[in-house]
């Protein structure tokens, strides 16, 4: 991505660039930027993508875990199939969806949990923020129950009064934590991504098992 990329960015923005490069959404560039900076994905990795529709992050993650990796994508909304992606439909907060995720993982622990989940916006900043914090919390719960030891979490949250407590929890569970505002986010937005690396806990072990292994 050189001069043409910069020219595109100025003239067309991320939305047009996503269309031209056949990405499902402009959000693909956010996760590419995060991965370029923090090294989240690795070839052969296993990724759980929460709030995945229409699939921009899943598509980007599937590209970076190729050829033997797998992405498990979850959303309440429908999502068209993608190569190297298992698509599940359901609410991440429900037990049933969590069981479906376990089923799709077939006993393996993911290296990465992603969450770009957003609430339906009510237009009331405080309410939107607390709903976003609830979704971020459920992503952290999923990460705690599934992630392999030393695995990574990237989670979106709207900044607001619940943010410091959420960040404190993530800091307690991961060796490295950074609050990141990707360039590909709309500038007026209060969304922020917490990039957390090196999960401290069980249940996963820290062997370098890949998604292609049984
Ligand atoms: C910003 S979009 C995700 C965009 C996606 N990362 C991409 O790159 O294309 C947020 C998604 O979160 C989903 N979502 C919100 N609450 C959810 C929940 N409780 N369970 C599952 N998905 C949820 C929405 O349906 C929506 O598709």
């Amino acid at each position: 991505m050189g001069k043409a990329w910069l020219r595109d960015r100025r003239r067309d923005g991320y939305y047009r660039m996503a269309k031209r490069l056949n990405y499902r959404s402009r959000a693909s560039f956010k996760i590419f930027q995060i991965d370029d900076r923090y090294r989240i994905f690795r070839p052969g990795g296993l990724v759980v993508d929460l709030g995945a529709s229409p699939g921009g992050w899943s598509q980007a993650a599937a590209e970076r875990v190729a050829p033997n990796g797998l992405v498990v994508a979850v959303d309440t909304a429908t999502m068209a199939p993608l190569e190297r992606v298992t698509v599940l439909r359901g609410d991440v907060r429900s037990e049933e969806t969590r069981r479906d995720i376990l089923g799709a993982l077939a006993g393996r622990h993911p290296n990465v949990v992603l969450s770009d989940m957003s609430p339906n916006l009510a237009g009331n900043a405080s309410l939107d923020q607390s709903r976003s914090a609830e979704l971020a919390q459920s992503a952290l719960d999923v990460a705690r129950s599934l992630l392999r030891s030393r695995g990574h979490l990237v989670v979106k949250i709207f900044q607001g009064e619940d943010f410091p407590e959420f960040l404190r929890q993530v800091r307690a569970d991961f060796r490295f934590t950074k609050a990141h505002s990707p360039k590909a986010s709309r500038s007026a937005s209060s969304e922020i991504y917490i990039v957390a690396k090196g999960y401290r806990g069980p249940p996963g072990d820290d062997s370098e098992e890949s998604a292609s292994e049984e």
Side-chain angles (χ1 to χ4, degrees), residues 25 27-28 51-57 74-77 90-93 116-118 135 156:
S25 68
S28 294
S53 179
W57 280 28
V74 188
D75 206 295
T76 45
D91 188 324
V92 170
R93 294 167 298 183
D116 193 23
M117 286 190 286
S118 288
L135 293 173
K156 176 166 76 182

